[in-house]
Amino acid sequence: MTIDMNKVEAFAGQILGDQGAAITALLVHIGDKLGLYKALQAGGPMTSIELADKTGTAERYVREWLANQAASGYLEYDAETTRFALPPEHAMVLAEETSPAFMVGGFESMAGLFRDEPQLTDAFRTGDGVGWHQHDARLFRGVERFFKPGYLANLTSSWIPALDGVEAKLAAGTLVADVGCGHGASTLVLARTYPQSSFVGFDSHPESIEVARQRAEEEGLADRVRFEVASAQDFPGSDYGLICFFDCLHDMGDPVGGAARAHQTLADDGAVMLVEPMAGDRLEDNLHPVGRLYYGFSTVCCTPASLSQDVGLGLGAQAGEARLTEVLNEAGFRRVRRATETPVNMVLEARK
Ligand SMILES: C[S@@+](CC[C@H](N)C(=O)[O-])C[C@H]1O[C@@H](n2cnc3c(N)ncnc32)[C@H](O)[C@@H]1O
């Protein structure tokens, strides 16, 4: 076999870039925790001394961090003034929590997952699952911050209106369940917009429910929003006008059981909204940057979570519309359609 050295060189170049991105991921997480991006956004271009002063950090570390960030193209460096600037467009991605482009939560989750590596490597050997509760807590907060910008930008302005008659029902007042709600970001976005309706978020992870309750208190929504520990297969209640699953059905061991419970507890004219990562039906449709990111998270987070539960279906985060429709049909839903989508999410509507 002859080795094509040009191909070796090109691939090594790609890996060099990926290694740079991987070490920079750690630096993004550190900068996020220390408030370095937010200080640069608020204070404008700064030297390392100025940024260290503003943030109460050690200048020598900050100087090295800034150099990496400039080499990454995240910050702009002015050699004359020796100041580093965070362009406003980059601030939307790295500093502004509520901007639709904010993406730092992903790095927080990754930091937690690196910490979890020994148990994940073991799971590859044994085939055992790794439950949601077994992860470093940064995963949970990172997931909340990763998905929340998408909910703020899309949930009430385009996803709900894309469902048949649901917006009017929410405005008039109905009962809504948000199953697998995590820290409740989606539940609270809905509750703020539709004051006539009542909301209950369910999740099998007690620590997440505790945080969701705190968020509801902080936002003054605790009178209309309840959060309860319950699993998707047997959450309580009946006659829900809307039941939502946000980026969680594929994490469940028994997604058919969860969807079947939704079928049982849904009002006859109610709707299920299933939000899942955007994916084509075939692996070969997903070999691109979005697929790369989601297969990555799926390998170390979603699939192990599913395998840790009864049934252990292991749908994976890139199951695709056809497979998800099958799950909903198996659970009893007769009508399933893709209501809308974004570049990273698909929104399915299911009816009895
Ligand atoms: C990726 S997180 C998404 C959380 C939230 N929906 C959001 O969008 O931020 C998946 C959530 O599903 C929950 N989960 C996994 N299996 C579950 C089950 N069988 N029943 C209820 N919740 C479950 C996890 O505890 C976790 O909070």
Side-chain angles (χ1 to χ4, degrees):
M1 184 197 292
T2 52
I3 293 285
D4 176 346
M5 285 315 289
N6 290 329
K7 204 167 168 181
V8 173
E9 208 174 301
F11 182 59
Q14 180 192 333
I15 293 296
L16 180 79
D18 287 355
Q19 286 189 335
I23 193 69
T24 297
L26 178 58
L27 272 67
V28 171
H29 179 52
I30 291 171
D32 175 46
K33 284 180 83 170
L34 295 172
L36 302 184
Y37 295 116
K38 289 187 171 72
L40 281 163
Q41 184 194 26
M46 285 186 215
T47 64
S48 57
I49 298 169
E50 289 164 344
L51 182 59
D53 267 1
K54 270 257 183 316
T55 53
T57 48
E59 188 277 335
R60 184 65 194 91
Y61 281 103
V62 169
R63 198 192 324 157
E64 218 63 9
W65 182 87
L66 284 165
N68 162 277
Q69 297 286 293
S72 302
Y74 293 9
L75 300 181
E76 288 169 359
Y77 178 59
D78 180 339
E80 279 196 3
T81 61
T82 70
R83 289 201 160 89
F84 297 82
L86 179 64
E89 296 80 6
H90 295 198
M92 286 180 69
V93 181
L94 295 171
E96 259 180 62
E97 299 268 344
T98 54
S99 125
F102 185 69
M103 294 179 74
V104 168
F107 294 98
E108 188 171 2
S109 291
M110 287 173 208
L113 288 163
F114 264 93
R115 178 93 194 225
D116 298 335
E117 173 276 320
Q119 59 178 345
L120 292 164
T121 304
D122 274 353
F124 267 71
R125 293 201 179 94
T126 61
D128 290 346
V130 179
W132 195 252
H133 61 283
Q134 291 175 271
H135 285 283
D136 185 288
R138 281 172 291 185
L139 175 65
F140 319 137
R141 181 154 152 68
V143 162
E144 176 189 18
R145 293 172 83 208
F146 184 67
F147 288 132
K148 188 174 171 182
Y151 302 150
L152 286 171
N154 302 300
L155 178 47
T156 57
S157 59
S158 75
W159 295 351
I160 293 287
L163 306 178
D164 192 13
V166 171
E167 190 175 34
K169 202 180 284 178
L170 285 168
T174 189
L175 182 58
V176 180
D178 186 356
V179 182
C181 64
H183 286 186
S186 49
T187 332
L188 296 172
V189 169
L190 287 170
R192 263 197 306 277
T193 310
Y194 305 108
Q196 302 305 321
S197 289
S198 305
F199 299 84
V200 53
F202 297 113
D203 199 287
S204 49
H205 182 229
E207 285 81 2
S208 287
I209 287 296
E210 204 42 58
V211 174
R213 286 181 181 146
Q214 283 165 22
R215 300 273 191 271
E217 286 287 344
E218 284 157 16
E219 297 202 22
L221 291 167
D223 55 330
R224 285 185 300 110
V225 187
R226 281 185 302 119
F227 289 103
E228 287 182 19
V229 178
S231 81
Q233 305 86 274
D234 56 13
F235 64 90
S238 61
D239 234 17
Y240 291 106
L242 175 67
I243 300 180
C244 311
F245 294 85
F246 291 100
D247 285 296
C248 62
L249 192 74
H250 64 266
D251 294 297
M252 296 173 184
D254 183 10
V256 176
R261 181 65 189 151
H263 190 272
Q264 276 169 8
T265 55
L266 194 68
D268 285 342
D269 62 347
V272 160
M273 174 164 60
L274 173 61
V275 176
E276 279 285 308
M278 176 52 82
D281 292 325
R282 302 169 312 165
L283 189 154
E284 54 270 39
D285 301 331
N286 301 323
L287 302 180
H288 48 60
V290 175
R292 182 190 193 192
L293 185 67
Y294 275 110
Y295 281 127
F297 276 117
S298 185
T299 307
V300 292
C301 171
C302 317
T303 302
S306 176
L307 296 182
S308 76
Q309 300 180 16
D310 282 350
V311 181
L313 193 64
L315 267 183
Q318 294 282 274
E321 184 175 358
R323 184 74 186 99
L324 293 166
T325 301
E326 246 171 50
V327 166
L328 291 165
N329 289 153
E330 246 184 274
F333 290 98
R334 305 245 288 272
R335 288 176 292 154
V336 179
R337 69 175 183 107
R338 191 192 296 200
T340 187
E341 63 191 63
T342 69
V344 291
N345 279 119
M346 72 173 82
V347 179
L348 304 186
E349 175 177 4
R351 300 273 180 166
K352 283 188 174 179

